[in-house]
Amino acid sequence: MTVTIYHNPDCGTSRNTLAMIRQSGVEPKVIDYRANPPSRARLEQLIADAGLSVRQAIRQKDTPYAELGLDDPALSDDALLDAMLAHPILINRPFVETPRGVRLCRPSEAVLDILQNPEIGPFTKEDGEVIIDAGGRRLV
């Protein structure tokens, strides 16, 4: 099974998502989208396959979102995509693609919905939040 994660190693949500994928028994293809951003067509496809609008896929926190005026509701999807490609940090993360679908994994446990083996055993996020308890019950 091929799993691809568009990853930011500086992001806790992205690191937690990657850890859950690996705990499921899969070594994913890891793409640091900041260094290797997807093409425009690929980004549009990821957003569409995840069932999101372009505006939902843009990251605001810790990005140049406000200084670029991207909060202007009159901006077109094309203008937002242009900004995301010019500043890949604006691409929300992590996007994960598996044979079962594409998700923007915010929160990170959203990845469990598209993993072939979502029964990954106990899992605690970096911040101490328990996602799956010792009995294998998903708590969130």
Side-chain angles (χ1 to χ4, degrees), residues 6-78:
Y6 291 85
H7 181 58
N8 178 346
D10 296 331
C11 172
T13 300
S14 197
R15 289 190 306 270
N16 284 318
T17 302
L18 178 58
M20 282 188 253
I21 294 168
R22 287 180 169 152
Q23 194 164 313
S24 80
V26 172
E27 183 54 42
K29 178 178 181 182
V30 179
I31 298 173
D32 182 338
Y33 67 90
R34 298 166 308 161
N36 299 297
S39 69
R40 182 186 199 88
R42 184 76 187 114
L43 180 58
E44 287 176 311
Q45 191 65 57
L46 287 167
I47 292 168
D49 288 352
L52 301 173
S53 69
V54 173
R55 194 162 289 282
Q56 289 172 314
I58 197 164
R59 183 168 174 85
Q60 297 177 29
K61 183 180 171 188
D62 301 324
T63 72
Y65 178 85
E67 70 187 57
L68 293 172
L70 300 176
D71 55 347
D72 180 349
L75 288 176
S76 68
D77 284 354
D78 282 336

